[in-house]
Amino acid sequence: MTPHDEVTPVLETVGLTKHFPLRRGRRQVVHAVDGIDTRLMRGTVVALVGESGSGKSTVARLLAQLLPATSGVIRLNGTPVSAHFGRRFRGYVRNVQMILQDPFASLNPIHTVRYVLGRSISIHHPKDDEIRAR
Ligand SMILES: Nc1ncnc2c1ncn2[C@@H]1O[C@H](COP(=O)(O)OP(=O)(O)O)[C@@H](O)[C@H]1O
Ligand SMILES: [Mg+2]
């Protein structure tokens, strides 16, 4: 069902687009990402390079499903991503995740390491009682 071959991109976008409304209720929009086609092949790295404001972070958020796309398609191992909640959505976000650059801004210092790491294990592996071992 989910092919792991050399020709199917691991992660692919076709015409991925994100427009942000400029003001509530107005028609004007910011064209943050306008119809991009990308392919990440197995065993390779893709870098998105561009000037500030060119849409790099928006693409990352779209791929991580932190933002809904205005239009376009995202495919993981050939399967279009359509679920935005539920079991299929959790399966997607288990495989496609952001690694944030600044751990001091990303991790809440009030929480213990066990809490921070254990939470994602318990969300993604609810039947797994080996949180401590992991
Ligand atoms: N939540 C948002 N609401 C409105 N405009 C946004 C939002 N996020 C990003 N933008 C706009 O989209 C464009 C692309 O931003 P961004 O993806 O952050 O670029 P980069 O990461 O390449 O610097 C910019 O014009 C930015 O102001
Ligand atoms: Mg950015």
Side-chain angles (χ1 to χ4, degrees), residues 40-131:
L40 173 67
M41 301 308 291
R42 192 171 176 74
T44 68
V45 172
V46 171
L48 217 56
V49 181
E51 63 187 83
S52 179
S54 61
K56 307 179 295 292
S57 293
T58 302
V59 170
R61 290 192 187 101
L62 292 170
L63 290 175
Q65 293 258 60
L66 300 177
L67 282 176
T70 304
S71 61
V73 179
I74 299 171
R75 289 196 201 102
L76 179 63
N77 292 313
T79 306
V81 175
S82 51
H84 302 292
F85 48 83
R87 208 158 52 87
R88 284 183 60 200
F89 174 73
R90 275 203 303 282
Y92 179 87
V93 296
R94 188 151 55 229
N95 285 302
V96 182
Q97 295 171 8
M98 300 244 272
I99 298 173
L100 299 169
Q101 286 173 317
D102 179 4
F104 296 102
S106 311
L107 301 174
N108 187 337
I110 288 171
H111 294 315
T112 63
V113 171
R114 186 200 165 99
Y115 176 82
V116 172
L117 298 182
R119 239 170 87 77
S120 63
I121 296 171
S122 64
I123 288 169
H124 289 295
H125 307 276
K127 285 180 191 148
D128 190 338
D129 55 4
E130 291 180 34
I131 291 177

